[in-house]
Structure formats: C-alpha cells, structure tokens
Amino acid sequence: MALAAELFAVWLFGFSALISIINPLGGALVFHGMTRWLTEAERARLARAIAINSFIVLIVALFVGVRVLGFFGISLEALRLAGGLAVAVAGWRMLNEETDEARQQRDARAPAALDTAPLDRMAFFPLTLPLTTGPGTIAACIALAAERRAAELGDILVSVTAALLIALAVGLSVWVAYANAAALARRLGPTGMLIAAKLAAFLLLCIGAQIMLTGATDALRPIFAAR
C-alpha cells in the first residue's frame, strides 16, 4: 500500500509537470491549423504517430538523461536549479502572455510549406519535435529523473514504473487532444483556451519553483550539516 501511494505521488507530480509544459490543448490547436488540409482519418493517423513518438522521446529522456549529465560532469543539484528555473521562467512567460490573434494566425500559417510533405515525415518533425516534446520537455524529464535516487528494490520499481506510466499518460493525452483537435477548437472557443492556458502556466510556475527548492535544499544540506 505504501509503495502504491508513493507510486501515485511520483506519477502525479511527473505527469503534472510534463503535461503543463507540453500543453496538449494548446498544441492541439496548432496541430489543427497545420493539418486542416488533411482528412479526419489522416489527422487521426498522424495524431497516433505523434503520440507514439512523444512516448519514445519521454522514455529516452527519463531513463538516459541523467547518465548523459554524468558523462558531462553536471551535478544533480545544478540540473535541478537550472531545469527548475527554465520551467519557472516558461510558466511565468505563459502566465503573462498577452492574447494575440494575429500571432496565432501567423503561427498556423508558418508551416504552410509542409502541406505537400509526407505524413510520416511530418509526424516526427516538426509535430513531435519541437511542437510537442521540445527542449523544455526534455529538460524537465531529466530534472524529474534526477529527483529520485534508487537505493532499494522498492525505490527502483517505483521509479521505473512511474517513468513508464508518466510517459504513457502523456502520450495518451497528446493522442486524445490531437485526434480531437477540430472538435476541441470548436467547443472550447477563445475564452476556454485562454483559461486552460493560464491554469497550466500557473501550475508550471509552481512546479518550477518546487524543483528549484529541491535543488537548493540538496546543495545547502552539506553546508548546514558541517556546522
């Protein structure tokens, strides 16, 4: 029971962090603008491919990202502080971002050159990288993986299972949002999308602050322990 509760807590924190950064609702509207020339069946197939690609990117970042940091000699505390700051800054910018219909229309028109591109090529670039799982998402995955230090078998099981469930839940969220992008745009409307974006931005800001607080605590603990 204790492991199940710990697993749920780790999953909830990781899922909240990544879903706030990825923001499938906002990404779904951009996805819809980039694929309006596709049929419903083609859009659904493309959404499924993006979800699978996103799952793979998240798994790689969650399981291998920390080892890459070790290769370059970057400490976990520095990663937490830098990653948390990047996440918090992104949340702050989103929270204070002004609505700009002209900018949204320009972003939707920007990838017009992709209209004749094969769907398989579009699925990874640019629709998975950088539209869905960009550098901020990868940095957050590394920070989340660094949050846990597996010392016992139970910790290892929780870490591995949580990582798989986080990536799976995020991938499914992306799939559902992108597959229903047209209906989502009609039902939420500008006001609903604005509210969802602001709530996600505030949550992102809080998560970034929590990651930085953890990094600062770990960095200062040896100093206070020596006194």
Side-chain angles (χ1 to χ4, degrees):
M1 186 63 67
L3 285 179
E6 184 180 2
L7 174 62
F8 178 75
V10 174
W11 173 84
L12 183 61
F13 182 79
F15 176 75
S16 300
L18 295 182
I19 209 68
S20 300
I21 298 172
I22 293 174
N23 189 12
L25 296 180
L29 293 184
V30 179
F31 169 78
H32 176 66
M34 295 174 65
T35 59
R36 282 179 293 183
W37 51 276
L38 297 178
T39 64
E40 290 295 329
E42 289 174 332
R43 189 180 292 113
R45 181 164 67 90
L46 190 58
R48 183 172 63 252
I50 294 170
I52 294 174
N53 290 338
S54 299
F55 173 80
I56 295 173
V57 170
L58 294 177
I59 287 295
V60 171
L62 286 168
F63 282 99
V64 185
V66 175
R67 291 176 176 81
V68 173
L69 288 179
F71 177 79
F72 287 101
I74 302 174
S75 68
L76 299 182
E77 291 77 11
L79 184 277
R80 291 188 182 100
L81 288 171
L85 179 61
V87 171
V89 169
W92 179 259
R93 289 178 177 175
M94 289 171 57
L95 193 62
N96 293 276
E97 186 178 22
E98 296 289 339
T99 57
D100 189 351
E101 295 181 0
R103 177 179 55 79
Q104 293 177 357
Q105 293 175 0
R106 184 177 67 251
D107 292 341
R109 291 196 302 266
L114 296 172
D115 286 354
T116 57
L119 296 183
D120 293 338
R121 189 171 68 189
M122 289 179 62
F124 189 78
F125 180 83
L127 294 178
T128 300
L129 285 171
L131 175 62
T132 305
T133 54
T137 303
I138 296 174
C141 285
I142 296 175
L144 290 171
E147 288 295 316
R148 295 189 57 82
R149 295 192 178 109
E152 300 179 355
L153 179 59
D155 295 329
I156 296 175
L157 291 176
V158 168
S159 298
V160 172
T161 306
L164 291 172
L165 292 178
I166 289 169
L168 180 61
V170 172
L172 289 176
S173 299
V174 170
W175 186 6
V176 172
Y178 283 24
N180 297 276
L184 190 65
R186 290 193 303 266
R187 294 181 180 180
L188 287 180
T191 302
M193 286 305 303
L194 177 62
I195 294 174
K198 295 304 180 183
L199 289 176
F202 182 71
L203 181 60
L204 187 60
L205 178 61
C206 294
I207 290 171
Q210 179 62 52
I211 294 174
M212 284 192 294
L213 180 61
T214 302
T217 302
D218 290 345
L220 294 175
R221 184 178 292 114
I223 298 177
F224 288 104
R227 292 185 178 180

PDB file of all heavy atoms in Angstrom, residues 191-221:
ATOM      1  N   THR A 191     -12.173  31.858 -25.203  1.00  0.00           N
ATOM      2  CA  THR A 191     -12.187  32.066 -23.755  1.00  0.00           C
ATOM      3  C   THR A 191     -11.771  30.801 -23.012  1.00  0.00           C
ATOM      4  O   THR A 191     -10.969  30.852 -22.070  1.00  0.00           O
ATOM      5  CB  THR A 191     -13.581  32.496 -23.284  1.00  0.00           C
ATOM      6  OG1 THR A 191     -13.961  33.698 -23.974  1.00  0.00           O
ATOM      7  CG2 THR A 191     -13.589  32.751 -21.789  1.00  0.00           C
ATOM      8  N   GLY A 192     -12.291  29.661 -23.407  1.00  0.00           N
ATOM      9  CA  GLY A 192     -11.934  28.406 -22.757  1.00  0.00           C
ATOM     10  C   GLY A 192     -10.461  28.077 -22.914  1.00  0.00           C
ATOM     11  O   GLY A 192      -9.819  27.620 -21.966  1.00  0.00           O
ATOM     12  N   MET A 193      -9.901  28.324 -24.092  1.00  0.00           N
ATOM     13  CA  MET A 193      -8.489  28.059 -24.306  1.00  0.00           C
ATOM     14  C   MET A 193      -7.622  28.995 -23.482  1.00  0.00           C
ATOM     15  O   MET A 193      -6.565  28.611 -22.985  1.00  0.00           O
ATOM     16  CB  MET A 193      -8.154  28.194 -25.793  1.00  0.00           C
ATOM     17  CG  MET A 193      -8.662  27.035 -26.644  1.00  0.00           C
ATOM     18  SD  MET A 193      -8.110  25.411 -26.074  1.00  0.00           S
ATOM     19  CE  MET A 193      -6.334  25.630 -26.107  1.00  0.00           C
ATOM     20  N   LEU A 194      -8.077  30.239 -23.319  1.00  0.00           N
ATOM     21  CA  LEU A 194      -7.313  31.199 -22.515  1.00  0.00           C
ATOM     22  C   LEU A 194      -7.265  30.755 -21.051  1.00  0.00           C
ATOM     23  O   LEU A 194      -6.215  30.801 -20.412  1.00  0.00           O
ATOM     24  CB  LEU A 194      -7.942  32.588 -22.633  1.00  0.00           C
ATOM     25  CG  LEU A 194      -7.289  33.686 -21.793  1.00  0.00           C
ATOM     26  CD1 LEU A 194      -5.841  33.892 -22.221  1.00  0.00           C
ATOM     27  CD2 LEU A 194      -8.078  34.987 -21.916  1.00  0.00           C
ATOM     28  N   ILE A 195      -8.409  30.310 -20.514  1.00  0.00           N
ATOM     29  CA  ILE A 195      -8.462  29.849 -19.127  1.00  0.00           C
ATOM     30  C   ILE A 195      -7.560  28.628 -18.930  1.00  0.00           C
ATOM     31  O   ILE A 195      -6.788  28.552 -17.963  1.00  0.00           O
ATOM     32  CB  ILE A 195      -9.908  29.527 -18.722  1.00  0.00           C
ATOM     33  CG1 ILE A 195     -10.749  30.818 -18.717  1.00  0.00           C
ATOM     34  CG2 ILE A 195      -9.950  28.854 -17.354  1.00  0.00           C
ATOM     35  CD1 ILE A 195     -12.218  30.572 -18.481  1.00  0.00           C
ATOM     36  N   ALA A 196      -7.631  27.666 -19.848  1.00  0.00           N
ATOM     37  CA  ALA A 196      -6.806  26.464 -19.740  1.00  0.00           C
ATOM     38  C   ALA A 196      -5.325  26.809 -19.801  1.00  0.00           C
ATOM     39  O   ALA A 196      -4.512  26.246 -19.057  1.00  0.00           O
ATOM     40  CB  ALA A 196      -7.172  25.489 -20.858  1.00  0.00           C
ATOM     41  N   ALA A 197      -4.962  27.746 -20.669  1.00  0.00           N
ATOM     42  CA  ALA A 197      -3.562  28.131 -20.804  1.00  0.00           C
ATOM     43  C   ALA A 197      -3.046  28.798 -19.535  1.00  0.00           C
ATOM     44  O   ALA A 197      -1.917  28.549 -19.093  1.00  0.00           O
ATOM     45  CB  ALA A 197      -3.392  29.056 -22.004  1.00  0.00           C
ATOM     46  N   LYS A 198      -3.861  29.665 -18.913  1.00  0.00           N
ATOM     47  CA  LYS A 198      -3.422  30.365 -17.710  1.00  0.00           C
ATOM     48  C   LYS A 198      -3.282  29.412 -16.519  1.00  0.00           C
ATOM     49  O   LYS A 198      -2.348  29.531 -15.720  1.00  0.00           O
ATOM     50  CB  LYS A 198      -4.403  31.492 -17.371  1.00  0.00           C
ATOM     51  CG  LYS A 198      -4.455  32.602 -18.408  1.00  0.00           C
ATOM     52  CD  LYS A 198      -3.078  33.217 -18.657  1.00  0.00           C
ATOM     53  CE  LYS A 198      -3.146  34.320 -19.699  1.00  0.00           C
ATOM     54  NZ  LYS A 198      -1.793  34.875 -19.983  1.00  0.00           N
ATOM     55  N   LEU A 199      -4.215  28.467 -16.390  1.00  0.00           N
ATOM     56  CA  LEU A 199      -4.109  27.489 -15.306  1.00  0.00           C
ATOM     57  C   LEU A 199      -2.866  26.614 -15.477  1.00  0.00           C
ATOM     58  O   LEU A 199      -2.146  26.343 -14.503  1.00  0.00           O
ATOM     59  CB  LEU A 199      -5.366  26.612 -15.279  1.00  0.00           C
ATOM     60  CG  LEU A 199      -6.657  27.286 -14.792  1.00  0.00           C
ATOM     61  CD1 LEU A 199      -7.826  26.319 -14.911  1.00  0.00           C
ATOM     62  CD2 LEU A 199      -6.510  27.768 -13.348  1.00  0.00           C
ATOM     63  N   ALA A 200      -2.605  26.195 -16.709  1.00  0.00           N
ATOM     64  CA  ALA A 200      -1.420  25.390 -16.969  1.00  0.00           C
ATOM     65  C   ALA A 200      -0.151  26.190 -16.688  1.00  0.00           C
ATOM     66  O   ALA A 200       0.834  25.658 -16.166  1.00  0.00           O
ATOM     67  CB  ALA A 200      -1.431  24.893 -18.412  1.00  0.00           C
ATOM     68  N   ALA A 201      -0.169  27.481 -17.016  1.00  0.00           N
ATOM     69  CA  ALA A 201       1.006  28.325 -16.787  1.00  0.00           C
ATOM     70  C   ALA A 201       1.294  28.482 -15.301  1.00  0.00           C
ATOM     71  O   ALA A 201       2.451  28.413 -14.868  1.00  0.00           O
ATOM     72  CB  ALA A 201       0.788  29.693 -17.432  1.00  0.00           C
ATOM     73  N   PHE A 202       0.251  28.687 -14.486  1.00  0.00           N
ATOM     74  CA  PHE A 202       0.458  28.840 -13.046  1.00  0.00           C
ATOM     75  C   PHE A 202       0.975  27.544 -12.432  1.00  0.00           C
ATOM     76  O   PHE A 202       1.866  27.567 -11.570  1.00  0.00           O
ATOM     77  CB  PHE A 202      -0.843  29.259 -12.373  1.00  0.00           C
ATOM     78  CG  PHE A 202      -0.715  29.482 -10.897  1.00  0.00           C
ATOM     79  CD1 PHE A 202      -0.033  30.577 -10.400  1.00  0.00           C
ATOM     80  CD2 PHE A 202      -1.262  28.582  -9.997  1.00  0.00           C
ATOM     81  CE1 PHE A 202       0.107  30.776  -9.033  1.00  0.00           C
ATOM     82  CE2 PHE A 202      -1.140  28.772  -8.632  1.00  0.00           C
ATOM     83  CZ  PHE A 202      -0.455  29.880  -8.148  1.00  0.00           C
ATOM     84  N   LEU A 203       0.427  26.411 -12.858  1.00  0.00           N
ATOM     85  CA  LEU A 203       0.898  25.123 -12.368  1.00  0.00           C
ATOM     86  C   LEU A 203       2.349  24.907 -12.760  1.00  0.00           C
ATOM     87  O   LEU A 203       3.164  24.400 -11.967  1.00  0.00           O
ATOM     88  CB  LEU A 203       0.019  24.002 -12.921  1.00  0.00           C
ATOM     89  CG  LEU A 203       0.359  22.580 -12.479  1.00  0.00           C
ATOM     90  CD1 LEU A 203       0.257  22.443 -10.967  1.00  0.00           C
ATOM     91  CD2 LEU A 203      -0.551  21.577 -13.170  1.00  0.00           C
ATOM     92  N   LEU A 204       2.703  25.306 -13.967  1.00  0.00           N
ATOM     93  CA  LEU A 204       4.076  25.174 -14.437  1.00  0.00           C
ATOM     94  C   LEU A 204       5.029  26.021 -13.602  1.00  0.00           C
ATOM     95  O   LEU A 204       6.128  25.590 -13.251  1.00  0.00           O
ATOM     96  CB  LEU A 204       4.145  25.590 -15.905  1.00  0.00           C
ATOM     97  CG  LEU A 204       5.466  25.375 -16.637  1.00  0.00           C
ATOM     98  CD1 LEU A 204       5.837  23.909 -16.636  1.00  0.00           C
ATOM     99  CD2 LEU A 204       5.367  25.906 -18.050  1.00  0.00           C
ATOM    100  N   LEU A 205       4.608  27.228 -13.252  1.00  0.00           N
ATOM    101  CA  LEU A 205       5.417  28.107 -12.409  1.00  0.00           C
ATOM    102  C   LEU A 205       5.658  27.478 -11.034  1.00  0.00           C
ATOM    103  O   LEU A 205       6.782  27.502 -10.506  1.00  0.00           O
ATOM    104  CB  LEU A 205       4.730  29.461 -12.268  1.00  0.00           C
ATOM    105  CG  LEU A 205       5.408  30.502 -11.378  1.00  0.00           C
ATOM    106  CD1 LEU A 205       6.785  30.850 -11.918  1.00  0.00           C
ATOM    107  CD2 LEU A 205       4.538  31.750 -11.275  1.00  0.00           C
ATOM    108  N   CYS A 206       4.616  26.904 -10.449  1.00  0.00           N
ATOM    109  CA  CYS A 206       4.752  26.264  -9.134  1.00  0.00           C
ATOM    110  C   CYS A 206       5.664  25.048  -9.195  1.00  0.00           C
ATOM    111  O   CYS A 206       6.480  24.821  -8.282  1.00  0.00           O
ATOM    112  CB  CYS A 206       3.378  25.861  -8.607  1.00  0.00           C
ATOM    113  SG  CYS A 206       2.275  27.253  -8.249  1.00  0.00           S
ATOM    114  N   ILE A 207       5.555  24.267 -10.253  1.00  0.00           N
ATOM    115  CA  ILE A 207       6.398  23.082 -10.392  1.00  0.00           C
ATOM    116  C   ILE A 207       7.863  23.482 -10.550  1.00  0.00           C
ATOM    117  O   ILE A 207       8.761  22.867  -9.965  1.00  0.00           O
ATOM    118  CB  ILE A 207       5.920  22.230 -11.584  1.00  0.00           C
ATOM    119  CG1 ILE A 207       4.578  21.575 -11.249  1.00  0.00           C
ATOM    120  CG2 ILE A 207       6.954  21.175 -11.950  1.00  0.00           C
ATOM    121  CD1 ILE A 207       3.924  20.890 -12.408  1.00  0.00           C
ATOM    122  N   GLY A 208       8.127  24.524 -11.328  1.00  0.00           N
ATOM    123  CA  GLY A 208       9.492  25.011 -11.473  1.00  0.00           C
ATOM    124  C   GLY A 208      10.068  25.474 -10.153  1.00  0.00           C
ATOM    125  O   GLY A 208      11.233  25.201  -9.832  1.00  0.00           O
ATOM    126  N   ALA A 209       9.250  26.182  -9.363  1.00  0.00           N
ATOM    127  CA  ALA A 209       9.701  26.639  -8.047  1.00  0.00           C
ATOM    128  C   ALA A 209      10.007  25.451  -7.131  1.00  0.00           C
ATOM    129  O   ALA A 209      10.986  25.479  -6.369  1.00  0.00           O
ATOM    130  CB  ALA A 209       8.639  27.536  -7.418  1.00  0.00           C
ATOM    131  N   GLN A 210       9.194  24.403  -7.194  1.00  0.00           N
ATOM    132  CA  GLN A 210       9.422  23.212  -6.368  1.00  0.00           C
ATOM    133  C   GLN A 210      10.722  22.511  -6.754  1.00  0.00           C
ATOM    134  O   GLN A 210      11.485  22.072  -5.887  1.00  0.00           O
ATOM    135  CB  GLN A 210       8.246  22.247  -6.506  1.00  0.00           C
ATOM    136  CG  GLN A 210       8.394  20.962  -5.706  1.00  0.00           C
ATOM    137  CD  GLN A 210       8.487  21.228  -4.216  1.00  0.00           C
ATOM    138  OE1 GLN A 210       7.648  21.922  -3.659  1.00  0.00           O
ATOM    139  NE2 GLN A 210       9.522  20.694  -3.578  1.00  0.00           N
ATOM    140  N   ILE A 211      11.003  22.401  -8.042  1.00  0.00           N
ATOM    141  CA  ILE A 211      12.238  21.764  -8.498  1.00  0.00           C
ATOM    142  C   ILE A 211      13.453  22.569  -8.037  1.00  0.00           C
ATOM    143  O   ILE A 211      14.451  22.020  -7.570  1.00  0.00           O
ATOM    144  CB  ILE A 211      12.238  21.605 -10.029  1.00  0.00           C
ATOM    145  CG1 ILE A 211      11.138  20.618 -10.460  1.00  0.00           C
ATOM    146  CG2 ILE A 211      13.591  21.116 -10.527  1.00  0.00           C
ATOM    147  CD1 ILE A 211      10.974  20.502 -11.958  1.00  0.00           C
ATOM    148  N   MET A 212      13.373  23.907  -8.145  1.00  0.00           N
ATOM    149  CA  MET A 212      14.476  24.754  -7.680  1.00  0.00           C
ATOM    150  C   MET A 212      14.662  24.645  -6.173  1.00  0.00           C
ATOM    151  O   MET A 212      15.796  24.619  -5.677  1.00  0.00           O
ATOM    152  CB  MET A 212      14.218  26.215  -8.074  1.00  0.00           C
ATOM    153  CG  MET A 212      14.470  26.516  -9.529  1.00  0.00           C
ATOM    154  SD  MET A 212      14.493  28.306  -9.842  1.00  0.00           S
ATOM    155  CE  MET A 212      12.793  28.715  -9.470  1.00  0.00           C
ATOM    156  N   LEU A 213      13.556  24.582  -5.434  1.00  0.00           N
ATOM    157  CA  LEU A 213      13.644  24.457  -3.976  1.00  0.00           C
ATOM    158  C   LEU A 213      14.332  23.158  -3.578  1.00  0.00           C
ATOM    159  O   LEU A 213      15.162  23.131  -2.663  1.00  0.00           O
ATOM    160  CB  LEU A 213      12.243  24.524  -3.371  1.00  0.00           C
ATOM    161  CG  LEU A 213      12.154  24.420  -1.842  1.00  0.00           C
ATOM    162  CD1 LEU A 213      12.904  25.578  -1.197  1.00  0.00           C
ATOM    163  CD2 LEU A 213      10.700  24.421  -1.400  1.00  0.00           C
ATOM    164  N   THR A 214      14.015  22.080  -4.281  1.00  0.00           N
ATOM    165  CA  THR A 214      14.670  20.801  -4.006  1.00  0.00           C
ATOM    166  C   THR A 214      16.160  20.874  -4.295  1.00  0.00           C
ATOM    167  O   THR A 214      16.990  20.376  -3.521  1.00  0.00           O
ATOM    168  CB  THR A 214      14.029  19.686  -4.848  1.00  0.00           C
ATOM    169  OG1 THR A 214      12.627  19.619  -4.561  1.00  0.00           O
ATOM    170  CG2 THR A 214      14.666  18.347  -4.560  1.00  0.00           C
ATOM    171  N   GLY A 215      16.521  21.491  -5.426  1.00  0.00           N
ATOM    172  CA  GLY A 215      17.933  21.629  -5.769  1.00  0.00           C
ATOM    173  C   GLY A 215      18.693  22.471  -4.767  1.00  0.00           C
ATOM    174  O   GLY A 215      19.820  22.136  -4.376  1.00  0.00           O
ATOM    175  N   ALA A 216      18.097  23.580  -4.341  1.00  0.00           N
ATOM    176  CA  ALA A 216      18.751  24.452  -3.375  1.00  0.00           C
ATOM    177  C   ALA A 216      18.909  23.746  -2.030  1.00  0.00           C
ATOM    178  O   ALA A 216      19.945  23.862  -1.362  1.00  0.00           O
ATOM    179  CB  ALA A 216      17.948  25.745  -3.212  1.00  0.00           C
ATOM    180  N   THR A 217      17.894  22.985  -1.621  1.00  0.00           N
ATOM    181  CA  THR A 217      17.973  22.253  -0.358  1.00  0.00           C
ATOM    182  C   THR A 217      19.091  21.221  -0.379  1.00  0.00           C
ATOM    183  O   THR A 217      19.868  21.096   0.575  1.00  0.00           O
ATOM    184  CB  THR A 217      16.624  21.570  -0.066  1.00  0.00           C
ATOM    185  OG1 THR A 217      15.596  22.556  -0.014  1.00  0.00           O
ATOM    186  CG2 THR A 217      16.683  20.818   1.247  1.00  0.00           C
ATOM    187  N   ASP A 218      19.198  20.476  -1.487  1.00  0.00           N
ATOM    188  CA  ASP A 218      20.254  19.473  -1.594  1.00  0.00           C
ATOM    189  C   ASP A 218      21.638  20.109  -1.638  1.00  0.00           C
ATOM    190  O   ASP A 218      22.602  19.553  -1.095  1.00  0.00           O
ATOM    191  CB  ASP A 218      20.035  18.623  -2.854  1.00  0.00           C
ATOM    192  CG  ASP A 218      18.826  17.715  -2.728  1.00  0.00           C
ATOM    193  OD1 ASP A 218      18.350  17.539  -1.593  1.00  0.00           O
ATOM    194  OD2 ASP A 218      18.350  17.210  -3.763  1.00  0.00           O
ATOM    195  N   ALA A 219      21.743  21.273  -2.282  1.00  0.00           N
ATOM    196  CA  ALA A 219      23.041  21.933  -2.378  1.00  0.00           C
ATOM    197  C   ALA A 219      23.487  22.509  -1.033  1.00  0.00           C
ATOM    198  O   ALA A 219      24.685  22.521  -0.706  1.00  0.00           O
ATOM    199  CB  ALA A 219      22.994  23.034  -3.437  1.00  0.00           C
ATOM    200  N   LEU A 220      22.541  22.981  -0.233  1.00  0.00           N
ATOM    201  CA  LEU A 220      22.876  23.620   1.043  1.00  0.00           C
ATOM    202  C   LEU A 220      22.961  22.639   2.199  1.00  0.00           C
ATOM    203  O   LEU A 220      23.505  22.980   3.258  1.00  0.00           O
ATOM    204  CB  LEU A 220      21.835  24.695   1.365  1.00  0.00           C
ATOM    205  CG  LEU A 220      21.785  25.905   0.418  1.00  0.00           C
ATOM    206  CD1 LEU A 220      20.642  26.816   0.793  1.00  0.00           C
ATOM    207  CD2 LEU A 220      23.110  26.661   0.440  1.00  0.00           C
ATOM    208  N   ARG A 221      22.419  21.425   2.023  1.00  0.00           N
ATOM    209  CA  ARG A 221      22.401  20.458   3.129  1.00  0.00           C
ATOM    210  C   ARG A 221      23.800  20.148   3.653  1.00  0.00           C
ATOM    211  O   ARG A 221      24.007  20.108   4.881  1.00  0.00           O
ATOM    212  CB  ARG A 221      21.678  19.188   2.701  1.00  0.00           C
ATOM    213  CG  ARG A 221      21.549  18.180   3.836  1.00  0.00           C
ATOM    214  CD  ARG A 221      20.781  16.939   3.411  1.00  0.00           C
ATOM    215  NE  ARG A 221      19.386  17.249   3.147  1.00  0.00           N
ATOM    216  CZ  ARG A 221      18.821  17.165   1.950  1.00  0.00           C
ATOM    217  NH1 ARG A 221      19.547  16.811   0.903  1.00  0.00           N
ATOM    218  NH2 ARG A 221      17.545  17.437   1.794  1.00  0.00           N
TER     219      ARG A 221
END
